[in-house]
């Protein structure tokens, strides 16, 4: 497998929708997950305005709160605003939580599929057994907290197997924890959420052995039959960071390969210049044919030059996107 394919695989295997937008809001790159979402390809999506693509593809109710979030996300991407959109797919509906960040003249949009929240909320209302199947078989750690008069700061009423594997605690040990003590470093962020939709942030969690690891937390308030719950999903992003580090290493390797090709091209072009000059000086019956062939080779080298320039531009754009994960 060549380096280009490795880089593409790394980008496309990130568990998120990735869109890079340039000047005037036009898309300059999108990973395969995003292309599938919009039922398009890399060539067709380029130069389209991401604002219009989101607006046209979203099938959720267009209320005032939606448009306010939409405007903040597009116009003020540095303010940590989020936008929830719903898209119709063959297998049903997909709900995505978008965030954005501005770096130089580019905006990097990242979307995470949070349809699992809606599925669990619906199953809680309709079937406890189905809810348990979804809850226990989800790969991400999940905690269900109930808010009552007796426990105004919440009490764990359910945790899944993934939470036990992630932290090293048994399910019984996790259920005995006070949520305020367990989520001590970001408890206030979980319990102060006022949004109707999911709320996400990045922090660290400590396992049973006392080792901290980076996590992405997604929380959502639920109200079921008059009772209040908070669903907390904890994603271990260590693997995600390892993938980003691999991408960075591959980008450096790609830069070395680009330089290597440029050196080789010069080694070809320099003798061609000499051959062309000698043919012109000798002015034999073969001179014109030799010069013509030299020009043909030069044209091919120019095409390679253009291809390398475009490859380097793409490399720089991707590096800008992943740079925030490498700090």
């Amino acid at each position: 497998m060549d380096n280009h394919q490795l880089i593409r695989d790394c980008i496309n295997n990130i568990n998120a929708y990735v869109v890079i937008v340039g000047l005037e809001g036009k898309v300059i790159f999108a990973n395969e997950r995003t292309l599938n979402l919009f039922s398009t390809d890399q060539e067709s999506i380029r130069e389209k305005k991401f604002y219009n693509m989101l607006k046209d593809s979203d099938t959720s109710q267009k209320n005032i709160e939606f448009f306010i979030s939409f405007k903040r996300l597009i116009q003020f991407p540095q303010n940590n605003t989020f936008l929830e959109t719903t898209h119709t797919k063959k297998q049903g509906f997909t709900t995505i939580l978008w965030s954005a960040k501005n770096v130089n003249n580019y905006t990097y949009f990242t979307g995470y599929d949070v349809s699992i929240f809606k599925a669990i909320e619906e199953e809680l209302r309709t079937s406890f057994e189905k809810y348990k199947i979804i809850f226990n078989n989800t790969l991400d750690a999940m905690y269900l907290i109930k808010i009552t008069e007796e426990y105004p700061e919440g009490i764990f009423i359910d945790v899944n197997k993934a939470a036990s594997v992630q932290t090293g605690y048994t399910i019984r040990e996790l259920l005995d924890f006070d949520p305020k003590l367990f989520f001590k470093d970001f408890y206030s962020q979980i319990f102060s959420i006022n949004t109707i939709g999911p709320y996400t942030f990045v922090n660290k969690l400590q396992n049973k052995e006392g080792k901290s690891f980076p996590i992405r937390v997604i929380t959502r308030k639920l109200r079921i039959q008059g009772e209040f719950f908070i669903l907390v999903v904890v994603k271990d992003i260590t693997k995600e960071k390892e993938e980003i580090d691999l991408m960075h290493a591959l980008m450096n390797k790609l830069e070395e390969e680009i330089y290597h090709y440029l050196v080789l091209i010069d080694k070809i072009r320099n003798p061609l210049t000499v051959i062309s000059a000698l043919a012109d000086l000798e002015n034999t019956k073969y001179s014109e044919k030799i010069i013509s062939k030299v020009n043909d080779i030069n044209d091919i080298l120019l095409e390679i030059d253009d291809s390398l320039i475009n490859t380097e531009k793409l490399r720089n754009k991707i590096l800008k996107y992943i740079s925030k994960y490498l700090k």
Side-chain angles (χ1 to χ4, degrees):
M1 183 181 293
D2 60 28
N3 289 334
H4 291 78
Q5 187 62 47
L6 280 171
I7 293 167
R8 283 193 295 269
D9 288 345
C10 285
I11 298 167
N12 290 322
N13 284 324
I14 292 175
N15 191 26
Y17 300 87
V18 178
V19 182
I20 303 176
V21 173
L23 298 174
E24 300 178 355
K26 293 181 178 179
V27 176
I28 57 176
F29 176 81
N31 65 351
E32 282 188 11
R33 186 180 292 266
T34 304
L35 297 177
N36 292 334
L37 176 69
F38 292 108
S39 301
T40 186
D41 54 53
Q42 199 68 249
E43 291 301 321
S44 301
I45 201 173
R46 286 200 185 103
E47 297 301 310
K48 287 187 177 181
K49 288 196 173 183
F50 187 54
Y51 174 91
N52 293 332
M53 292 181 64
L54 267 185
K55 184 175 62 176
D56 294 340
S57 67
D58 180 77
T59 54
S60 62
Q61 184 179 359
K62 302 296 193 298
N63 51 34
I64 293 176
E65 183 180 346
F66 174 91
F67 280 112
I68 290 175
S69 297
F70 206 116
K71 186 175 181 181
R72 285 176 180 168
L73 183 77
I74 300 296
Q75 295 184 355
F76 308 104
Q78 295 287 43
N79 290 351
N80 295 320
T81 55
F82 297 90
L83 172 70
E84 182 181 331
T85 58
T86 303
H87 307 260
T88 304
K89 299 184 76 175
K90 289 181 180 179
Q91 66 270 28
F93 295 98
T94 298
T95 303
I96 300 172
L97 191 68
W98 295 95
S99 63
K101 185 174 182 180
N102 242 344
V103 179
N104 298 329
N105 294 324
Y106 301 98
T107 304
Y108 303 93
F109 291 90
T110 308
Y112 293 95
D113 193 332
V114 292
S115 300
I116 187 67
F117 285 108
K118 294 186 181 296
I120 290 177
E121 190 170 1
E122 181 61 26
E123 296 303 340
L124 275 169
R125 291 193 179 97
T126 58
S127 170
F128 183 74
E129 290 182 4
K130 288 182 180 179
Y131 148 74
K132 288 295 291 184
I133 291 173
I134 295 174
F135 193 84
N136 285 325
N137 288 283
T138 302
L139 296 178
D140 296 317
M142 305 189 80
Y143 305 80
L144 187 62
I145 301 169
K146 186 175 183 180
I147 309 297
T148 66
E149 290 185 4
E150 184 179 359
Y151 299 101
E153 295 180 337
I155 181 174
F156 287 132
I157 62 167
D158 206 357
V159 297
N160 67 354
K161 296 174 185 176
S164 175
V165 172
Q166 186 184 86
T167 62
Y169 293 103
T170 65
I171 290 178
R172 183 68 263 168
E173 287 174 325
L174 289 171
L175 290 172
D176 287 339
F177 264 107
D178 182 340
K180 187 173 184 178
L181 295 177
F182 186 76
F183 296 128
K184 56 184 178 180
D185 293 332
F186 47 90
Y187 168 84
S188 58
Q189 286 179 274
I190 292 176
F191 286 86
S192 63
I193 56 172
N194 296 315
T195 55
I196 297 174
Y199 172 68
T200 183
F201 56 90
V202 173
N203 212 294
K204 288 185 178 181
L205 187 65
Q206 196 172 78
N207 63 16
K208 189 173 182 178
E209 297 176 351
K211 183 180 178 181
S212 294
F213 54 96
I215 57 171
R216 179 174 289 104
V217 183
I218 306 173
T219 67
R220 182 166 186 151
K221 283 185 176 179
L222 309 174
R223 183 175 181 178
I224 303 166
Q225 298 179 347
E227 296 185 304
F228 293 92
F229 300 86
I230 295 178
L231 181 62
V232 182
V233 178
V234 177
K235 294 174 174 282
D236 185 344
I237 57 177
T238 304
K239 185 177 179 181
E240 186 176 289
K241 287 183 176 292
E242 289 174 354
E243 290 173 347
I244 295 294
D245 288 340
L246 174 60
M247 287 173 60
H248 190 253
L250 290 172
M251 290 298 176
N252 287 336
K253 181 62 177 175
L254 177 59
E255 185 175 22
E256 292 176 8
E257 292 298 324
I258 290 172
Y259 177 77
H260 180 64
Y261 277 113
L262 290 173
V263 171
L264 289 176
I265 288 170
D266 282 342
K267 287 183 178 180
I268 297 171
R269 188 170 275 136
N270 292 336
L272 286 176
T273 303
V274 175
I275 292 169
S276 180
L278 289 173
D280 190 45
L281 285 171
E282 292 294 332
N283 195 21
T284 68
K285 61 179 180 179
Y286 300 108
S287 294
E288 187 175 342
K289 190 173 183 179
I290 292 172
I291 292 171
S292 175
K293 292 299 181 182
V294 168
N295 289 336
D296 289 343
I297 297 172
N298 269 321
D299 288 340
I300 295 172
L301 293 176
L302 286 173
E303 289 182 17
I304 297 174
D305 284 339
D306 291 339
S307 178
L308 289 173
I309 289 170
N310 290 332
T311 301
E312 190 169 20
K313 284 181 179 178
L314 178 59
R315 169 197 168 277
N316 291 337
K317 289 172 184 175
I318 296 173
L319 272 179
K320 285 181 181 178
Y321 168 71
I322 67 174
S323 61
K324 60 183 177 182
Y325 295 101
L326 300 172
K327 294 178 180 178

